[in-house]
Amino acid sequence: MEEVRELKDVLERVEGRLIAAGKMYGAMNFGAWLSVMLFYYVIIGVFRPPWQFNLIYWPLAFIVAMSFTGRVWKRLQRLGRVTGREAEVSGKGGILITLAWITGIVLGWGVIPGMNVGVNAEASMAVGFLSFIAFSVFTMWLVFAKYGGIEREIIPAFLIPAIGIPIARGLETGAMAWAGFIVSLGFSLTVVAYIYSAFRAIER
């Protein structure tokens, strides 16, 4: 019986560390995009580049962020294979997440700003930006809940931008910068929540 209990303890510790690794992957995902967004604000605050800069920065930022998170995901998969619980992604789930972000881009950067929902053009863009993040992350969260389990850590990443939408509508100046800080706050809290969950999993 003692050997069975020891084996059970070992398996629980291994499972806890695998769960912690998954939580750390989630934290690094949101941390990568948070870094990309904040670096963008640093650049435009100093150099004031023309709007064409967005056509260069965001595709490159997307490639860099996806390359980083992709390497982390492969390491997580290797860890899963070693422990006998390989991390997998549902093909259908991946397609749904991609569609969620594409739909969010169309709504947030096209439809909503064109509706002139804010007090001025910048406020309308801020509403669109917050709507894009809130809708896309919320939909992604629903997909995760269906195919992998509820990730409560993600809630601040879509809830806080959603709460900021009514305020952004009435901002006459600095609406886009304020919206950026709101999204950064939501993503930062999500990173902290993931790291906290990782520590709890290690303590199992």
Side-chain angles (χ1 to χ4, degrees), residues 104-141:
I105 290 172
V106 173
L107 290 174
W109 296 111
V111 176
I112 293 177
M115 296 171 61
N116 297 319
V117 294
V119 294
N120 54 36
E122 184 184 6
S124 296
M125 287 292 294
V127 171
F129 175 45
L130 292 174
S131 300
F132 155 59
I133 295 295
F135 173 85
S136 300
V137 177
F138 174 67
T139 308
M140 182 177 70
W141 180 69

Side-chain angles (χ1 to χ4, degrees), residues 120-188:
N120 54 36
E122 184 184 6
S124 296
M125 287 292 294
V127 171
F129 175 45
L130 292 174
S131 300
F132 155 59
I133 295 295
F135 173 85
S136 300
V137 177
F138 174 67
T139 308
M140 182 177 70
W141 180 69
L142 292 178
V143 174
F144 285 165
K146 179 175 177 59
Y147 291 98
I150 295 177
E151 296 278 331
R152 293 181 177 85
E153 298 85 356
I154 296 179
I155 292 176
F158 64 80
L159 183 60
I160 291 178
I163 293 174
I165 290 174
I167 301 174
R169 292 183 61 185
L171 294 178
E172 296 182 357
T173 58
M176 278 300 294
W178 186 83
F181 280 111
I182 288 295
V183 173
S184 299
L185 174 61
F187 278 33
S188 298

Side-chain angles (χ1 to χ4, degrees), residues 24-149:
M24 292 301 295
Y25 171 74
M28 284 186 278
N29 245 314
F30 278 91
W33 288 108
L34 178 63
S35 300
V36 164
M37 184 172 60
L38 292 179
F39 186 52
Y40 172 78
Y41 275 100
V42 169
I43 292 176
I44 64 173
V46 174
F47 299 104
R48 303 289 181 180
W51 66 268
Q52 291 90 345
F53 171 72
N54 294 296
L55 302 178
I56 300 173
Y57 180 85
W58 287 110
L60 288 176
F62 179 83
I63 293 172
V64 171
M66 292 302 293
S67 176
F68 169 74
T69 56
R71 287 197 299 270
V72 175
W73 175 252
K74 289 180 180 178
R75 292 183 178 181
L76 180 61
Q77 284 183 313
R78 285 199 296 269
L79 178 62
R81 284 194 291 269
V82 170
T83 58
R85 295 186 57 181
E86 185 171 356
E88 297 180 356
V89 177
S90 166
K92 186 176 180 180
I95 293 173
L96 290 175
I97 290 173
T98 301
L99 290 175
W101 283 95
I102 292 175
T103 304
I105 290 172
V106 173
L107 290 174
W109 296 111
V111 176
I112 293 177
M115 296 171 61
N116 297 319
V117 294
V119 294
N120 54 36
E122 184 184 6
S124 296
M125 287 292 294
V127 171
F129 175 45
L130 292 174
S131 300
F132 155 59
I133 295 295
F135 173 85
S136 300
V137 177
F138 174 67
T139 308
M140 182 177 70
W141 180 69
L142 292 178
V143 174
F144 285 165
K146 179 175 177 59
Y147 291 98

